[in-house]
Amino acid sequence: MSYRTASFLVLSFLAALGAVYIWFATGLTDSRNRASIGPAYFPIGLGILLLVLCALSAVQTVRRTDRPDLTLPNAGFVGLAIVATGTFLVAWRYLDSFYALTFVFAAGLMVAFAPKRDPKRVALYLGLAAVLTAVIYGLFGVIMQVRF
């Protein structure tokens, strides 16, 4: 894939993400006085900044004279991570078991990306995934009282 094509694909994705971010931010309502800065002010500013930076990067890409070819090392791992993340998000939305899914997601990625998969390392990765899930639960579930 050429540098220019890859750049435009990524910039298109980021610009769409910025537009969706702005669209969702405009839905944030404030029950206080509308003359003050509301909850949508900062997110809309970030979305606009992302769109401006995407436009600047697109101009730089068009003006660039050299056009190297890009190779994506470990494309299979990148694809696996993207599919696993999408599956995690969809499962979280419909199954409502965030912490169990977080454990499975983290453990699955650790085992999938491990250079060696001997039983000791798999046990280590399962333990690390359990610790990560416990830390997330402690921070968000207990301290901040966020309900997923």
Side-chain angles (χ1 to χ4, degrees):
M1 179 182 296
S2 73
Y3 170 81
R4 181 180 240 174
T5 304
S7 292
F8 283 129
L9 283 174
V10 171
L11 290 172
S12 298
F13 172 75
L14 288 174
L17 185 68
V20 168
Y21 192 67
I22 291 170
W23 182 53
F24 279 123
T26 57
L28 296 174
T29 58
D30 188 9
S31 61
R32 299 176 306 169
N33 183 5
R34 300 302 287 167
S36 66
I37 293 177
Y41 183 78
F42 188 67
I44 289 173
L46 286 177
I48 291 170
L49 180 63
L50 180 60
L51 291 175
V52 168
L53 291 175
C54 284
L56 290 174
S57 184
V59 169
Q60 287 179 336
T61 300
V62 168
R63 295 182 60 169
R64 187 171 179 161
T65 56
D66 61 329
R67 292 185 170 81
D69 282 340
L70 294 181
T71 57
L72 185 61
N74 299 322
F77 284 138
V78 172
L80 174 67
I82 291 170
V83 168
T85 302
T87 305
F88 168 74
L89 293 173
V90 169
W92 176 19
R93 169 76 170 96
Y94 291 106
L95 297 179
D96 287 334
S97 55
F98 175 75
Y99 297 111
L101 290 170
T102 299
F103 171 77
V104 171
F105 177 68
L109 286 182
M110 287 181 195
V111 170
F113 293 142
K116 296 179 184 176
R117 291 188 188 106
D118 58 82
K120 283 185 178 181
R121 287 184 191 247
V122 170
L124 173 69
Y125 298 141
L126 292 175
L128 287 173
V131 168
L132 176 66
T133 304
V135 167
I136 291 172
Y137 173 73
L139 179 64
F140 291 103
V142 176
I143 295 172
M144 298 173 66
Q145 298 182 352
V146 175
R147 302 291 171 232
F148 291 107

